[in-house]
Structures are given as structure tokens and as C-alpha cells.
Amino acid sequence: MNDGRLDLAILGGTFDPVHAGHLQIARVVSDLLSAKVCCVPSNIPPHKSSTMATPEQRVAMLRLAVSEHPELYVDDLELKRGDRSFTLETLQIFRRRVGPSPRLYFILGMDAYLNLPSWLGWQQLLDYVHLVVCRRETDQVSAPPLLALETSHQVETAGMLKSKAHGGLFFVDNTALPVSSTEIRKRIKNKDDPSAFLDPGVYAYILQEQLYAAS
Ligand code: ATP
């Protein structure tokens, strides 16, 4: 069904587990840019030594979380590739799929953005997508390579991203919820109620699969 959301935004992550913060940024960006949001769980994240749930469990949780949101969907291409996940490769695949003209966006939380210079081929990302960064609580500020990127690519309004297929950098304010997967895993381990930050179906799945209790 075509609901008028013609552009495509990609949200990569470990989703171990998917939580309200992920859904919040996905939905805000979807509304802001009239875009569908494709959630892409990473296989073996280059920046994280291990995940607690299996890839199948992470995908299952993501599918449950997006099931009530027609503007969101899941693509497990990185898991199927079965290698380490490099975002640049994934974005190249999406670009090949849609062709050169359609707009593509990649959504990042502020913490991931600040880490960007450690990603393989990070300076090429903008050859394929626009970067949409959702501010998240942090004391850190952009390192010099990112300041240079901001000088050359940052745009002041979301609308300014619409004039090109890729190459813009936009910061979205006030989107982030103060929650992380780490915090959720910690709460479950400590028997604190995490339900305020989880989709009910995802929480039921976590309990059923006894995830994170012994982490
Ligand atoms: P962990 O605590 O295990 O590091 P996480 O909560 O940061 O996980 P990821 O799956 O690693 O979740 O995040 C995927 C993407 O979503 C990243 O770009 C991250 O910055 C962003 N993100 C996650 N949680 C939030 C949040 N609460 N607000 C804004 N962005 C978020």
C-alpha cells in the first residue's frame, strides 16, 4: 500500500533489544521526511564485541516492534550476508537497489555519529545517503573530522535534504528518549521493570525466551 511516504530511510543497529528510543527516532524521522524506515539489524557489529540475543531473536523482536507501525519495516540483509556488518557496504546495496536518483537517508543517534570516524569508509557514506542525526544526551562534542564534515555538508532544515539524492547532513533536535539497550539489559538482569521502554510484544518475547536475565 502506498501511504504517500515515498522516500526511504535506513536505521541500522544492534537492536539487542529494540526499545522505545529506536522506535521514537524511526517514527520522528519518518514523519519529518515522509519516508518509510527500514530497520537493519547488524550481524557482528564491528564496534561491539558480542550481542546477548541471537541474530534470530533480535530480528524476531524487531519484527514484533514494527508490526503496529506500517511506516517501519525490517530487512535482515546484513544477517543473511553472514559476515561482519559494515554500514558503507549496506548503504551501497540500498543505493544499487533504488538507483541513483531517489533520496536515501541513514538515521543515526548522536553517539553513533560521534563515533563515525572509526567506521570503515565513513567519508564515503555521503556519496550514497543523507545522514540524519538524532541528538541524544552526551557530553561529547564533534571531533575535528566531523566538524569539517559539518562545515561542508550540514543543512539547516530537513526540507533542504529534498533537493538532492544524498550528501546532506541534518541534525534532528529533541527526538531521543533517555534509554539504551544496555540500560534495558541491566534492568532485566537486576529485575527492575523495563516495560516503559519496550513494546509489549517485545517484552513478552524477552520473558518467553528468558533473554538478558543472566547477562
Ligand atoms: P547499546 O546500549 O547496546 O549500545 P543502543 O541502545 O545504543 O545499544 P543500537 O541498536 O546500538 O542501540 O542503536 C542503533 C542506532 O539507534 C544508533 O544510531 C543509536 O545511536 C540509535 N539510538 C539508540 N537508542 C537511541 C535513543 N534513545 N535515542 C536516539 N538514538 C538512539
Side-chain angles (χ1 to χ4, degrees), residues 11-16 19 21-22 25 48 107-112 134-136 176-177 179-182 185:
L11 173 61
T14 324
F15 303 110
D16 191 17
H19 53 68
H22 295 126
I25 60 174
K48 296 185 181 183
I107 307 169
L108 289 152
M110 194 64 181
D111 56 316
C134 299
R135 294 196 194 275
R136 195 179 181 186
L177 294 177
V179 59
S180 67
S181 297
T182 304
R185 294 194 300 268

Side-chain angles (χ1 to χ4, degrees), residues 33-50:
L33 297 167
S34 287
K36 292 246 182 208
V37 175
C38 181
C39 302
V40 179
S42 55
N43 192 25
I44 303 162
H47 303 100
K48 296 185 181 183
S49 50
S50 66

Side-chain angles (χ1 to χ4, degrees), residues 10 87-95 106 125 128-129:
I10 297 147
T87 299
L88 177 63
E89 286 172 13
T90 299
L91 298 181
Q92 288 168 333
I93 290 170
F94 273 95
R95 176 52 74 192
F106 184 62
L125 295 176
Y128 300 92
V129 292

